[in-house]
Amino acid sequence: MKRTLSSIAAAAMVLGTLSPSAFAATGSSTSYSDIAGNFASTQIQQLTKDGYIHGFSDGTYRPSAPVTRGQLLAYFMNAVETITGVTPGANSQTYSDVAPGNWAFNFVGAASGAGWLNPYWIGVRPGYAFHENYQASWGDAASYFVSSMEQAGKVTLPKGVSPLQYIQQIGLLQG
């Protein structure tokens, strides 16, 4: 099943219905040259206006492009910042393929420092590759959600239940 920027934007809107305080307005409206007629164009524009997502420097959003692990982490971190208190920022290089200067460096560093990147759930270990350009999976989304919300004291993963099973049980993922 292909994960697109449009479906992630729609998923972020679901997160907003669960925690409206996480989506306070922080930015200005932006138009993209490639979202007219897209089913999620309204949500994409609103999430951009609120400062949670950003398009590309060429004025496009690329709604049909697969979402990468790094993009998903950045979107998610922006969406839950007020709940978790975690903001982008890194003091050291944690993963071999996400060096200082890489756009994802501060997001990956902050998530790693906050304990969001459980190596057993997403298959990455500090000092090795994070693969921020790999296509994101629902497993990645589930692990970011469960790890961050556990660290914030908002959820407790039941024993013997995977993060993916958990987000299905609470209704964040259906099908």
Side-chain angles (χ1 to χ4, degrees), residues 15 69-70 72-73 76-77 80 84 95 111-112 114-124 130 135-152 155 157 161-168 170 172-173:
L15 284 173
R69 269 185 157 178
L72 178 63
L73 181 59
F76 184 76
M77 186 175 290
V80 300
T84 64
Y95 296 95
S112 179
W116 291 11
L117 304 179
N118 186 318
Y120 299 105
W121 295 343
I122 62 172
V124 298
F130 176 75
Q135 185 172 331
S137 68
W138 284 119
D140 293 331
S143 68
Y144 298 162
F145 174 81
V146 170
S147 292
S148 66
M149 293 301 114
E150 278 188 327
Q151 294 294 326
V155 303
L157 184 67
V161 175
S162 74
L164 192 54
Q165 291 168 324
Y166 182 74
I167 68 165
Q168 288 173 318
I170 65 172
L172 281 180
L173 175 64

Side-chain angles (χ1 to χ4, degrees), residues 56-144:
F56 293 87
S57 60
D58 64 359
T60 63
Y61 183 76
R62 304 176 193 166
S64 297
V67 175
T68 68
R69 269 185 157 178
Q71 289 169 328
L72 178 63
L73 181 59
Y75 297 156
F76 184 76
M77 186 175 290
N78 289 337
V80 300
E81 180 179 330
T82 59
I83 296 169
T84 64
V86 176
T87 58
N91 294 323
S92 64
Q93 183 175 355
T94 307
Y95 296 95
S96 62
D97 62 336
V98 186
N102 180 314
W103 74 268
F105 179 76
N106 288 326
F107 291 99
V108 174
S112 179
W116 291 11
L117 304 179
N118 186 318
Y120 299 105
W121 295 343
I122 62 172
V124 298
R125 300 208 183 312
Y128 295 88
F130 176 75
H131 303 293
E132 112 263 354
N133 289 317
Y134 279 20
Q135 185 172 331
S137 68
W138 284 119
D140 293 331
S143 68
Y144 298 162

